[in-house]
């Protein structure tokens, strides 16, 4: 019933910026709870990037992106954002937004039950 659709991916040179969006529909109830961003490169496990509480006052970031990426949300628009600055080739991956079960800001992919289809981010040297 819950649908999550990512957008904003593309090709960018190292050092550049992109902003990803994730629009939620079907059950906007989920927007009152935590949301997260994950990414997955070919042949690698899906990894945690960032998470945010329903109020937007608490966030969590993977060490690899802390200081460069910013997660935010606009509940009135049922949308989650990921602002990505100072992009590196290692950031190249498919980026997914997701909603977890339970409370808190989980980092484990198995704690998330709703997933978008992903958007490709490619960072060139």
């Amino acid at each position: 019933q819950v649908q999550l659709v990512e957008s904003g991916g593309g090709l960018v040179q190292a050092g550049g910026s992109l902003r990803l969006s994730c629009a939620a529909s079907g059950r906007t109830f989920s927007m009152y709870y935590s949301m997260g961003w994950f990414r997955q490169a070919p042949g690698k496990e899906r990894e945690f990037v960032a998470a945010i509480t329903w109020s937007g006052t608490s966030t969590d970031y993977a060490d690899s992106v802390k200081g460069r990426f910013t997660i935010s949300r606009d509940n009135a628009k049922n949308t989650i954002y990921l602002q990505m600055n100072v992009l590196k080739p290692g950031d190249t991956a498919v980026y997914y937004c997701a909603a977890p079960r339970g409370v808190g800001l989980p980092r484990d992919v198995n704690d998330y039950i709703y997933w978008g289809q992903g958007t490709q981010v490619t960072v060139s040297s």
Side-chain angles (χ1 to χ4, degrees), residues 14-58:
S17 299
L18 285 173
R19 189 177 78 157
L20 306 183
S21 299
C22 173
S25 63
R27 281 190 63 187
T28 57
F29 164 84
S30 65
M31 297 299 295
Y32 292 100
Y33 298 90
S34 299
M35 294 286 290
W37 284 97
F38 289 77
R39 66 187 183 186
Q40 186 169 25
K44 295 185 177 181
E45 297 287 338
R46 190 168 298 186
E47 66 176 353
F48 171 80
V49 175
I52 187 169
T53 59
W54 70 269
S55 65
T57 57
S58 295

Side-chain angles (χ1 to χ4, degrees), residues 32-124:
Y32 292 100
Y33 298 90
S34 299
M35 294 286 290
W37 284 97
F38 289 77
R39 66 187 183 186
Q40 186 169 25
K44 295 185 177 181
E45 297 287 338
R46 190 168 298 186
E47 66 176 353
F48 171 80
V49 175
I52 187 169
T53 59
W54 70 269
S55 65
T57 57
S58 295
T59 57
D60 187 33
Y61 296 92
D63 289 342
S64 60
V65 306
K66 192 172 185 178
R68 299 187 298 121
F69 291 11
T70 302
I71 186 172
S72 62
R73 69 191 300 168
D74 187 339
N75 289 342
K77 296 182 178 180
N78 297 325
T79 301
I80 305 295
Y81 304 97
L82 185 68
Q83 178 66 47
M84 305 184 295
N85 298 325
V86 197
L87 283 162
K88 305 175 180 179
D91 296 319
T92 296
V94 176
Y95 283 71
Y96 301 88
C97 65
R101 64 169 64 88
V103 298
L105 296 173
R107 292 187 169 196
D108 192 331
V109 297
N110 294 315
D111 289 324
Y112 289 77
I113 57 175
Y114 299 110
W115 294 87
Q117 292 299 116
T119 185
Q120 177 71 47
V121 172
T122 302
V123 184
S124 63

